[in-house]
Amino acid sequence: MKSIRVLLAGESWVSSSTHYKGWDFFQSAVYETGCEHLAQALKGAGMQFTHLPGHLAAVDFPMTLDELNAYDTIILSDLGANTLLLHPDTWQHGKSTPNRLKLLRDWVLQGGSLVMCGGYYSFAGIYGQAKYYRSPIEEVLPVTIFTFDDRVETPEGAIPVVEDPSHPIVQGITNPWPALLGYNELTLKPDAQLLLSINGRPLLAVRQAGAGKTLIWASDIGPHWCPEPFVKWDGYARLWVQAMNWMVNG
């Protein structure tokens, strides 16, 4: 069986700080990524994992169906819709460029495998600014996205509930699952399969869309919503390896 080719777009950020020391001050910036645990899990299973950081995605995310076909599964995680819509040729130079949200939808309908993971810039996101609602991406996902800020913070911890223990993605993962510290609030579509719920909302769901498949994971793939006890739990790696295998091989 050939190695599964996975592209993760997003999961990076730059933080800027101002430090005050009495009368004086200075500024610093740091670049960070949040996909290390997922990358380790998939690479450990022999998959070809490629990370496209958010600051590069506007230019380097695939622009054609042929370029998308270089991958078996595309994961969008903490990457707002504007990054895919506003190529610099359009944003800075007023030129027409492909609508990559429509391109992804068409790729799925023709047999592609698309995953959206949760975060502050996934689904609707913080202040609703991720803006995947009413988009071509929403058309193929297993869920309907709210048009407002959909983040639910659960600092006390919320335990995932297995809704379909026989499904290959969650099969063999033992209860109890570790707690999550937040998620995006979503509504399941009638033709989707719910595998995990959290506080009565979809956490993990899948859907057949045309010839392709889509999956949503409504929480982070790493801290803060997906904390250290979760990512270091044996079930974390098993979940993602089984998810990628099912999405591509059925």
Side-chain angles (χ1 to χ4, degrees):
M1 185 179 298
K2 71 173 186 177
S3 177
I4 294 173
R5 303 162 298 173
V6 180
L7 173 66
L8 169 66
E11 281 299 331
S12 71
W13 58 93
V14 176
S15 302
S16 177
S17 301
T18 301
H19 309 259
Y20 294 93
K21 306 230 175 187
W23 193 90
D24 297 297
F25 71 93
F26 67 94
Q27 294 179 310
S28 66
V30 61
Y31 169 74
E32 298 175 276
T33 60
C35 63
E36 292 76 16
H37 297 287
L38 180 62
Q40 183 179 6
L42 299 186
K43 288 179 180 178
M47 299 185 192
Q48 299 178 39
F49 178 84
T50 302
H51 179 214
L52 179 59
H55 67 284
L56 300 179
V59 173
D60 294 339
F61 192 87
M63 299 281 282
T64 67
L65 288 172
D66 283 344
E67 290 176 359
L68 287 172
N69 284 330
Y71 304 97
D72 299 302
T73 299
I74 305 266
I75 303 175
L76 302 179
S77 186
D78 239 340
L79 183 76
N82 279 328
T83 300
L84 299 181
L85 289 170
L86 297 173
H87 188 284
D89 284 348
T90 296
W91 171 240
Q92 296 173 331
H93 306 295
K95 297 179 180 179
S96 177
T97 53
N99 184 324
R100 286 177 285 189
L101 302 188
K102 291 182 178 179
L103 190 71
L104 271 171
R105 175 200 61 195
D106 295 344
W107 178 71
V108 168
L109 294 175
Q110 294 177 28
S113 170
L114 176 66
V115 175
M116 181 172 284
C117 297
Y120 275 37
Y121 270 90
S122 298
F123 302 107
I126 188 168
Y127 313 131
Q129 290 179 351
K131 295 194 72 172
Y132 285 102
Y133 50 82
R134 300 174 182 166
S135 76
I137 296 293
E138 186 184 35
E139 293 177 23
V140 293
L141 289 180
V143 291
T144 299
I145 303 170
F146 290 118
T147 59
F148 47 81
D149 193 323
D150 60 0
R151 296 169 303 134
V152 179
E153 302 288 348
T154 57
E156 74 281 14
I159 304 295
V161 175
V162 180
E163 301 287 351
D164 186 356
S166 65
H167 195 281
I169 292 179
V170 295
Q171 197 169 45
I173 301 177
T174 57
N175 286 313
W177 288 51
L180 295 168
L181 303 182
Y183 56 93
N184 298 89
E185 188 175 11
L186 303 160
T187 301
L188 192 73
K189 289 180 178 175
D191 60 345
Q193 291 178 273
L194 180 64
L195 309 186
L196 293 171
S197 64
I198 187 165
N199 288 346
R201 287 290 185 178
L203 173 60
L204 177 63
V206 294
R207 184 181 181 219
Q208 186 77 35
K213 295 176 181 176
T214 58
L215 177 151
I216 65 95
W217 168 257
S219 190
D220 278 333
I221 58 172
H224 81 282
W225 278 353
C226 190
E228 289 293 321
F230 200 107
V231 295
K232 292 182 176 179
W233 170 54
D234 289 345
Y236 175 88
R238 182 165 184 167
L239 170 69
W240 286 107
V241 171
Q242 291 181 173
M244 294 300 101
N245 277 307
W246 184 82
M247 291 291 285
V248 175
N249 299 315

